[in-house]
Every structure is written in structure tokens, then in C-alpha cells.
Amino acid sequence: MNNILVFQSDFGTIEGTVAQMYGVALTIDPTLKLYDITHNVPVFDTWSASHDLYQTIRFWPEETVFVSVVDPGVGSNRQSVVAKTTSGHYLVTPNNGTLTHVAKHIGIESLRVIDEQRFRRPGSENIHVFHGRDVYAYTGAYLASGKASYEEIGVLLPLNQVVTHRLIDPIFYAESLEGILEIDDPHFGMVWTNIPSTPLFDLGVQYGDSLNVEISHQDVIKYSHVIPIAKSFAYVSKGDDLVYVNEMGNLAIATNLENFTQKHGIGYGADWKVVINPKSKE
Amino acid sequence: MNNILVFQSDFGTIEGTVAQMYGVALTIDPTLKLYDITHNVPVFDTWSASHDLYQTIRFWPEETVFVSVVDPGVGSNRQSVVAKTTSGHYLVTPNNGTLTHVAKHIGIESLRVIDEQRFRRPGSENIHVFHGRDVYAYTGAYLASGKASYEEIGVLLPLNQVVTHRLIDPIFYAESLEGILEIDDPHFGMVWTNIPSTPLFDLGVQYGDSLNVEISHQDVIKYSHVIPIAKSFAYVSKGDDLVYVNEMGNLAIATNLENFTQKHGIGYGADWKVVINPKSKE
Amino acid sequence: MNNILVFQSDFGTIEGTVAQMYGVALTIDPTLKLYDITHNVPVFDTWSASHDLYQTIRFWPEETVFVSVVDPGVGSNRQSVVAKTTSGHYLVTPNNGTLTHVAKHIGIESLRVIDEQRFRRPGSENIHVFHGRDVYAYTGAYLASGKASYEEIGVLLPLNQVVTHRLIDPIFYAESLEGILEIDDPHFGMVWTNIPSTPLFDLGVQYGDSLNVEISHQDVIKYSHVIPIAKSFAYVSKGDDLVYVNEMGNLAIATNLENFTQKHGIGYGADWKVVINPKSKE
């Protein structure tokens, strides 16, 4: 193992919750290297946590251990698991949907249920509200430091026992592409579709061409404009909308130097449909 | 010493203030391991800083040095001290109330006044507004790295010179428990009482039982409901309130999947009284 | 090199963007020590980024490498550079204004254009929207780890090619000092002028004296009061305004225990003028 432990949660960083997880991990092994994805996943939002893990883990060295705790069911009978991905990373998390995108797009090699008889902070038996510290950080520290092997964590769980959100595949028609708005960028206000860019370029589209973009929410049209596809934001004027290819190779929509989702009241999720097709050149 | 230095402040992280403290520490010893509790203590709120330290430091390895800077009196004649706790931790802080909960619940073994002739960043003599960087981070780095011993920091101060906020003890009546709302969770909206759970269970209460919970602010009743005590949030329905045992072993109040304090307009502090008693079973 | 890599951006920390940069850097060298100035520079605000770098880098050890990414022109033809400062620090950044204050107040020894044929994350050639990860973090990691020398980064650029914002010098009149409000403290609400304190003390002013302070925005007076100059905030009553000497040795304006800029509706920048003169003692 590479001694790297990375945290993700919806705990915020305005008091000591995260620092308690850090302290527990460093008490197990003070040589661990601790990092964060974010602790500002929208509260209880396992979909966002899942997408964020998928986006992020592949940039980290193999054997890196991720502790992901968005855990609205803490203390209930939801399982606590460690997933080993086909990319060689480990995810320590409640089995509550946070593995959705990694399972689909990266691949889970195997899955184990955490043996809480062994992997639980001593003295925490009567605390039922902070498994992030007492189970997940504790287990992650043992695994990342090599003080426990993956095999020791607990028994194997069949891969079909991974709890996942429903994912919707994009549809490629002869002259248009249909998908959903999969996630937003909550800071800059871009929104990402689940439509890969390759089929669009296969239709003969080139950077600079105009596209019809129609976004609807529960069948009500929320946005319908002809906008260009551009290499990056700065290729259009300030305040103009554009389609671009995001860092996953999918189509995304933004406003140059402004916030697209706020400006147009756009959300994301399975009921936000998007249809993109090249504007016919006459 | 274990080379670990942990920061807490009300400085925020939206510009370089914290990074300047980090740079000063790493200039003294680049092998130091630097971490944060939070830099988002409510501005000037030494009570919250104090409670947060109490919650957090005991999860860290012995000999860890904490630099806590919530310092509304910077540049005035308030003292700068290092406290050694009975748990083997060190706290570098203005003597302005931030040691309240640690002194009461963990214990301070001894206290020294920082000798600013020696422990102050060279060249900072005419800067009176950033002791977090020039005195506290500087002193903490010397202590955590072992480049200065605790004894060298300055002369001993009698323990009764620790500046503390007034703490209120809970009262156990024959059939009810009375205390205050000691602190909130500003992110999820739970609120923590200062009432330990043991006396409640001693009254025969079991998980699932109903409790009368009455919260008043300056003698005006703000909340009065019969709600269950549950092992964790998920044992009640979404939107339902519950009493639970928090990670300190005290009684706390929350709403499952919602924000209790926002929903009911509940604050915390010495003038927020709470009375809890088992609902009689008839 | 000292193996220290420090990040600054306007990316926020509410999802995995920053963690992707961290992962890329640690994949290049897992022994790197990664830190942050902030990731909450106001969006697209290269002026604030520039001032923040100037404030912060000099507190870090020599040879520290800073990756600064406030990059509204990502994917356009703006240059990507590494600056070596006369203080012995390295700045990896788009050449878009972020070097303004460092160039003026610290000094740039030399400047190189990043050779993106070599210093760009393999596989990122078709991604035009995240140079922070694919170019800047990648280059910074090579430089900080010593896996590439500064000379290898790319060809030298003449120093007059540094893109800078216009800076305005303060003016010292016989009995008054005139300058601009250069930057605010967005957390506590102080505001910093570009006027050094020495000329004021040269006029015979002492701590405790009264000053006329007049702030105007585009020639409209926004604030005009007689307030004291004090060593620190606590020397005036809660809610009172004061002039103080900030940590750069310049004059700054604050309200004790309150937020000056919010209270008086004060901004900052080249069109916020401030005139300070000692009140005549009669």
C-alpha cells in the first residue's frame, strides 16, 4: 500500500468533525498521508458523492484508499463495505449508492463487508451516530497503512449486492443525441451531460458549428437555443452560452465568464433531459 | 514530540492568512506535519472554539500541539499561553476563554506564558494585528518540532489564572433532567445538551421510549414535544425529531434528514435551558 | 528543491477539482508535500490572486513552488509560464495578471514559457478546459520534486512580457497622504490602503492621534470621518472605526469586532480613492 488516505464527506469543515477522523487515522499510523476530495458534498446526496468519486479517483496513484462518508442511514442496518476497483483503488464507504458511477464506468473487482467486531474504534460501541470516524476512517487507516490487508477487512460480498442509483444511458439517433444532465459544477455553474462527444463529431460537427440544445425538466422545456460548440469558454463572448467537451470527454454546457445553471434555472438528475443536434447548414 | 501541528482559528480560508501561518511553521521546520481542526470557528467566538477543542484533541496522538487562534483582543494585554493537558496534548492560544472546556473536562496539567522576547517571528515587532502568525504559529512550530522544549516557552502561570467562560452543570431531579443546550452542529443542525445519557437510562428509559423535551430561551418556551430516544437518526421517519446519545455520551436532539435548529429556531448557550423527562407509561 | 508544492485557485472546494490536481501531482511524486493558499479566490479575479500571492509567498521556504490558477482564458492563446522570483520562489501560472504584485513588490528574476509538448499530462491533449490539472499542477509537480529543472520548463520570456494590472502609487503631500483601497479582507471586513505607514509617522503622528479619513468611489465620497490610529483593534471600543498598520506595514482601516466594509458599503480597486491626513491639534 502507498500510505495515502483520502477523505470525502458531507460533514462540512466548520467544526472539528473531519479533524476527529484525521486524529483517529494518525493515531493508528502517524506516517499516513491524509488528503481530502471535499467535505462539502451536498448533505445526504449520495448521487453527487458517487459522481465525484468517479471523476476523481482515477487521477490518484494505485492503491490509494478513499474513505467516502455520505451516510444518511448511519446507525441503521445499511452495510459498511470496502470496494476494490479494477483501477487498483480502494473505497471505504456505506453501501448506499456512493459506488454507482465507479461500478459502472470504472469497475469494481471485489467487495467486502467490514467486520465491525475488529474494525471499529475501541470504546465506540455505544456511539451510533459517527461511523465516519469510528468505522470508516478507522478501517481506512488500517488498510492504507498496510496494518490490515484487504482480505482481513471482512467476508466477500457478491458484486450484485452493490447498492446503486439508476443510471440512464444516452441515446444516439440518426441526427440527434439524447441524454440527461448528469451533474453540475456547483462552483462555476457549468452542467455536464451524459452524452459522449465522439458521436457528435461522427455526425460531422466541427468546433465553431452551431447546435440546437433543448433542455427539459419533467417534459417542460426550460432551455432551447442555438449555441456553438467551442474548444473552451474564451472562444465565445462574455455572457454567451456554449457547448464544450468536458474533462471526461462528454458534452457539457456553460456560459463564458458567467454561471449557466443560475442564469437559466437549470438543475441536474434523471428528470433533466437534454437533446442536442447539429443545426442544418443551408 | 511527534512533529504534528494542528491549527484552529476564525480566519476563514478565502485568502492567504492561514497559508502564512503554514509558511512560517515550515520555515522553522519543513518536516512538520500540519493539519487543521477548522478555520471557520464563528468569528470572535471563543466559546465555540473551546468546545471544539474539547471534542477534538483527545482523538489525536499524545504530544500533538494545537494552535488555537480566536483572538478578538489581538494586540491588547491579554496573555499568550501554552497549556499542557493531562491527556498529554499542548494548546498554544490566547488566554481568553478557549481553554474553558478542556480545563473542565480533560484537565490542564500546567500553563506557561509565552516569552515573546524569544518566541515571536523576527521582524514582526511592529505588527500588532496578526499574532496567529507571528506568535502562535511560530511558538507552536518550535514546540511541535522539538526545537524548543515546553519548559523553555516561558514561566509557569498558576492554574487558577486560566481564563474561562462560566460553565453550567446539569441537574438530575428524581424524574427529570435539566441542563443547557451547550453547542450546535452548525452544518447538520443537531443541538447538544450538557446532560449525560447515563442518568436517563438509570431512570429506566430504553431506546424507543418517548421523552418530554422542553427547550426555553430566557424562560420563554421555544420547543415542547414528546419525541422518542433512538439509537440513530434513521430509526425515525424523515422529518421526525429524536433524542439521541451523541459522541460525547451526552443527550442531543435532531431531526432525521433535516436541520433541527433551523426548523425550530433553536440556538445554544447558557440561556438556552432544556428539561428532559420520560413520558409516564400508562 | 524542497519538495513543497502550494496551490491557489478560484476552483472552490465543494467537489473534486482540487483533489484531481493533488492526485496528478502525487502520481508524479508521492513524496511531494502539498499545501494550499486558498481555492476561494473570487471567481476570475486575477487582481485578488495577485495580491494574495504577494502577501503570502514570502513567508514560505525558498524554492517553494506555487501553482496559481485563476484562469478565465483557459484554452485560449494566453501563455502558461513559470516565474522565478528574486526571493527564490517559483510561480506556475497563466500569464494573465496574477504576477502583478509580485513583479512590482518582490521582483521577478526570470520567466519561462511552459513547453506544453513536454509538460502536459499525457492523454489530456483533447481537453481544453482544465489546464490547472493538466498543465499547471503537472508542471509544478515536476519542478517541486526536482524531476525537471527550471531551465527545462521552456524558453525564457523577456521580463517585459509579464502581463500586469495597472498599479497606482500613493502620493505624499505636505500634510496628507493619498492612495487607493488596494484589497479587502473578505472574512473580517478590514480594508487595506496602498499607503505605507512611515510617511504618516514622519508627519509627527503617534498612536492614539486622530486622523481625517476620506474614502471616495469614482469621485463620490463614501466615508468621511475623524478616527484614531491605534496599535490594534482592541484599543478602540466595540463598533468604533480605526486606522492601523497592517502586516505589510501599510495603513488599513477597520471596525473593532465588526465588519468595516459591510457596515459602510466600501469596496476596493483602482477607483476607490482614500485621503488620510492628521487632524490639526488646536
Side-chain angles (χ1 to χ4, degrees):
Chain A
M1 303 300 288
N2 64 19
N3 231 25
I4 298 178
L5 187 60
V6 186
F7 293 87
Q8 179 203 48
S9 79
D10 62 350
F11 294 166
T13 54
I14 56 180
E15 30 77 65
T17 307
V18 170
Q20 291 172 43
M21 297 198 292
Y22 267 53
V24 164
L26 292 171
T27 300
I28 291 167
D29 186 343
T31 73
L32 282 171
K33 295 168 194 168
L34 307 182
Y35 300 99
D36 302 305
I37 295 179
T38 182
H39 295 285
N40 289 297
V41 173
V43 168
F44 307 136
D45 182 350
T46 55
W47 170 273
S48 288
S50 170
H51 195 279
D52 203 19
L53 285 172
Y54 158 46
Q55 264 185 266
T56 303
I57 69 169
R58 61 210 167 99
F59 293 102
W60 286 74
E62 274 189 47
E63 297 195 334
T64 297
V65 176
F66 297 85
V67 168
S68 169
V69 195
V70 175
D71 193 12
V74 62
S76 72
N77 62 354
R78 60 95 188 88
Q79 292 171 309
S80 297
V81 299
V82 179
K84 181 177 182 181
T85 70
T86 55
S87 57
H89 300 102
Y90 297 89
L91 302 173
V92 184
T93 182
N95 189 10
N96 64 4
T98 56
L99 295 172
T100 300
H101 292 86
V102 167
K104 165 98 174 186
H105 296 296
I106 296 180
I108 294 179
E109 188 181 297
S110 64
L111 194 69
R112 291 177 185 275
V113 181
I114 296 173
D115 173 6
E116 293 192 22
Q117 297 299 315
R118 177 160 172 207
F119 294 104
R120 189 184 175 113
R121 191 175 62 82
S124 71
E125 294 74 14
N126 292 318
I127 304 174
H128 307 285
V129 292
F130 195 0
H131 288 183
R133 180 189 68 199
D134 296 332
V135 175
Y136 300 113
Y138 188 84
T139 302
Y142 268 94
L143 189 59
S145 66
K147 289 186 188 295
S149 70
Y150 174 57
E151 289 69 27
E152 289 175 88
I153 294 300
V155 298
L156 284 170
L157 201 64
L159 286 183
N160 63 12
Q161 298 293 302
V162 178
V163 174
T164 53
H165 293 281
R166 186 170 65 103
L167 283 176
I168 294 170
D169 285 321
I171 308 173
F172 310 141
Y173 295 106
E175 295 191 340
S176 73
L177 309 172
E178 186 180 314
I180 62 163
L181 300 182
E182 192 159 58
I183 201 80
D184 69 342
D185 175 308
H187 189 66
F188 287 109
M190 295 87 94
V191 70
W192 289 9
T193 78
N194 66 337
I195 305 172
S197 58
T198 312
L200 187 70
F201 291 119
D202 287 349
L203 293 176
V205 168
Q206 298 185 318
Y207 282 119
D209 285 357
S210 293
L211 303 175
N212 293 300
V213 175
E214 188 182 281
I215 296 171
S216 55
H217 182 234
Q218 295 173 340
D219 296 326
V220 179
I221 294 176
K222 296 291 183 175
Y223 180 91
S224 181
H225 288 279
V226 177
I227 59 178
I229 180 165
K231 268 199 172 180
S232 188
F233 316 111
Y235 285 80
V236 302
S237 301
K238 181 175 191 308
D240 282 0
D241 300 341
L242 70 149
V243 172
Y244 69 99
V245 181
N246 75 5
E247 50 201 87
M248 331 281 289
N250 287 346
L251 299 176
I253 310 166
T255 307
N256 183 33
L257 299 176
E258 293 181 8
N259 189 306
F260 177 82
T261 53
Q262 276 184 14
K263 185 177 169 186
H264 297 289
I266 303 296
Y268 65 90
D271 49 1
W272 284 89
K273 203 170 78 175
V274 59
V275 179
I276 297 178
N277 62 290
K279 189 169 180 296
S280 59
K281 300 165 188 172
E282 296 171 15
Chain B
M1 302 300 289
N2 63 19
N3 232 25
I4 299 177
L5 185 60
V6 185
F7 292 88
Q8 179 203 49
S9 79
D10 62 351
F11 294 166
T13 53
I14 56 179
E15 30 75 66
T17 307
V18 169
Q20 291 172 42
M21 297 199 292
Y22 267 52
V24 164
L26 292 171
T27 299
I28 291 168
D29 186 345
T31 73
L32 282 171
K33 295 170 194 166
L34 307 183
Y35 299 99
D36 302 305
I37 294 180
T38 181
H39 293 285
N40 289 298
V41 173
V43 168
F44 307 135
D45 181 350
T46 55
W47 171 273
S48 287
S50 170
H51 195 278
D52 203 19
L53 286 171
Y54 157 47
Q55 264 186 267
T56 304
I57 70 169
R58 61 211 167 99
F59 292 103
W60 285 74
E62 273 190 50
E63 298 196 333
T64 298
V65 177
F66 297 85
V67 167
S68 168
V69 195
V70 175
D71 194 13
V74 61
S76 72
N77 61 353
R78 59 94 188 87
Q79 292 172 310
S80 296
V81 299
V82 178
K84 181 179 182 181
T85 70
T86 55
S87 56
H89 300 101
Y90 297 88
L91 302 173
V92 184
T93 183
N95 188 11
N96 63 4
T98 56
L99 295 171
T100 300
H101 291 85
V102 167
K104 164 98 174 186
H105 295 296
I106 295 181
I108 293 180
E109 188 181 296
S110 64
L111 193 70
R112 291 178 184 274
V113 181
I114 295 173
D115 173 6
E116 293 191 22
Q117 297 298 315
R118 178 161 171 206
F119 294 105
R120 188 182 176 115
R121 191 175 62 82
S124 71
E125 293 74 15
N126 292 318
I127 304 174
H128 307 286
V129 292
F130 195 0
H131 288 184
R133 180 188 67 198
D134 297 331
V135 175
Y136 300 114
Y138 188 84
T139 303
Y142 269 94
L143 190 59
S145 65
K147 290 187 188 294
S149 70
Y150 173 57
E151 287 69 27
E152 289 174 90
I153 294 300
V155 297
L156 284 170
L157 199 64
L159 286 183
N160 62 13
Q161 299 292 304
V162 179
V163 173
T164 54
H165 293 281
R166 186 170 64 103
L167 283 175
I168 295 171
D169 286 321
I171 309 173
F172 310 140
Y173 295 105
E175 295 191 340
S176 73
L177 309 172
E178 186 181 314
I180 62 163
L181 301 182
E182 192 160 57
I183 200 79
D184 69 342
D185 175 309
H187 190 66
F188 287 109
M190 295 87 94
V191 70
W192 290 10
T193 79
N194 66 337
I195 305 172
S197 59
T198 312
L200 186 71
F201 291 118
D202 287 349
L203 293 177
V205 168
Q206 298 186 318
Y207 281 119
D209 284 358
S210 294
L211 304 174
N212 293 300
V213 174
E214 188 182 281
I215 296 171
S216 55
H217 182 233
Q218 294 173 338
D219 296 326
V220 179
I221 293 176
K222 296 289 183 177
Y223 180 90
S224 180
H225 288 279
V226 176
I227 59 178
I229 180 165
K231 268 199 173 180
S232 188
F233 315 111
Y235 285 79
V236 303
S237 302
K238 180 174 192 308
D240 281 0
D241 300 341
L242 68 150
V243 172
Y244 68 99
V245 179
N246 76 4
E247 50 201 87
M248 331 280 290
N250 287 346
L251 298 175
I253 309 165
T255 308
N256 182 33
L257 299 176
E258 293 181 8
N259 189 306
F260 178 82
T261 54
Q262 275 185 14
K263 186 178 170 186
H264 297 290
I266 302 297
Y268 64 90
D271 51 1
W272 283 90
K273 203 170 77 175
V274 58
V275 179
I276 296 177
N277 62 291
K279 189 170 181 297
S280 58
K281 301 164 188 171
E282 296 173 14
Chain C
M1 303 299 288
N2 63 19
N3 232 25
I4 298 178
L5 186 59
V6 185
F7 292 88
Q8 179 203 49
S9 80
D10 61 351
F11 294 166
T13 53
I14 57 180
E15 31 74 67
T17 307
V18 169
Q20 291 172 43
M21 297 198 292
Y22 267 52
V24 164
L26 292 171
T27 300
I28 291 168
D29 186 345
T31 73
L32 281 172
K33 295 169 193 166
L34 307 182
Y35 300 98
D36 302 305
I37 295 180
T38 181
H39 294 285
N40 289 299
V41 173
V43 168
F44 307 135
D45 182 350
T46 55
W47 170 274
S48 287
S50 170
H51 194 279
D52 204 18
L53 285 172
Y54 157 46
Q55 263 186 268
T56 304
I57 69 170
R58 61 210 167 99
F59 293 102
W60 286 74
E62 274 189 48
E63 298 195 333
T64 297
V65 176
F66 297 85
V67 168
S68 169
V69 195
V70 175
D71 194 13
V74 62
S76 71
N77 61 355
R78 60 95 187 89
Q79 293 171 308
S80 296
V81 299
V82 178
K84 181 178 182 182
T85 70
T86 54
S87 57
H89 301 101
Y90 296 89
L91 302 173
V92 184
T93 183
N95 189 10
N96 64 3
T98 55
L99 295 172
T100 300
H101 292 85
V102 167
K104 164 99 175 186
H105 295 297
I106 295 181
I108 294 180
E109 189 181 297
S110 64
L111 193 69
R112 291 177 183 275
V113 181
I114 296 172
D115 173 6
E116 293 191 22
Q117 297 299 315
R118 178 162 171 205
F119 294 105
R120 189 184 174 110
R121 192 175 62 82
S124 70
E125 293 73 15
N126 293 317
I127 304 174
H128 306 285
V129 292
F130 195 179
H131 288 184
R133 180 189 68 198
D134 297 332
V135 175
Y136 301 113
Y138 188 84
T139 303
Y142 269 94
L143 189 60
S145 66
K147 289 187 189 295
S149 70
Y150 173 57
E151 287 70 27
E152 290 174 88
I153 294 300
V155 298
L156 284 171
L157 200 64
L159 287 183
N160 62 13
Q161 298 293 302
V162 179
V163 174
T164 55
H165 292 281
R166 186 169 65 105
L167 283 175
I168 294 171
D169 286 322
I171 308 173
F172 309 141
Y173 295 106
E175 294 191 339
S176 73
L177 309 172
E178 186 180 315
I180 62 161
L181 300 182
E182 192 159 58
I183 200 79
D184 69 341
D185 175 308
H187 190 66
F188 287 110
M190 295 87 95
V191 70
W192 289 9
T193 79
N194 66 338
I195 305 171
S197 59
T198 311
L200 187 70
F201 290 119
D202 287 349
L203 293 176
V205 167
Q206 298 186 319
Y207 282 118
D209 285 358
S210 295
L211 304 174
N212 293 300
V213 174
E214 187 182 281
I215 296 172
S216 55
H217 182 233
Q218 294 174 340
D219 297 326
V220 179
I221 293 176
K222 295 291 182 175
Y223 180 89
S224 180
H225 287 280
V226 176
I227 59 177
I229 180 166
K231 268 198 173 182
S232 188
F233 316 109
Y235 285 80
V236 304
S237 301
K238 180 175 192 307
D240 282 0
D241 300 341
L242 70 149
V243 172
Y244 68 98
V245 180
N246 76 4
E247 50 201 87
M248 332 280 289
N250 287 346
L251 298 176
I253 310 165
T255 307
N256 183 32
L257 299 176
E258 293 181 9
N259 190 306
F260 177 83
T261 54
Q262 276 185 14
K263 185 177 170 186
H264 298 290
I266 303 297
Y268 64 90
D271 50 0
W272 283 89
K273 202 170 80 175
V274 58
V275 179
I276 297 178
N277 62 290
K279 188 169 181 296
S280 58
K281 300 166 188 172
E282 295 171 15

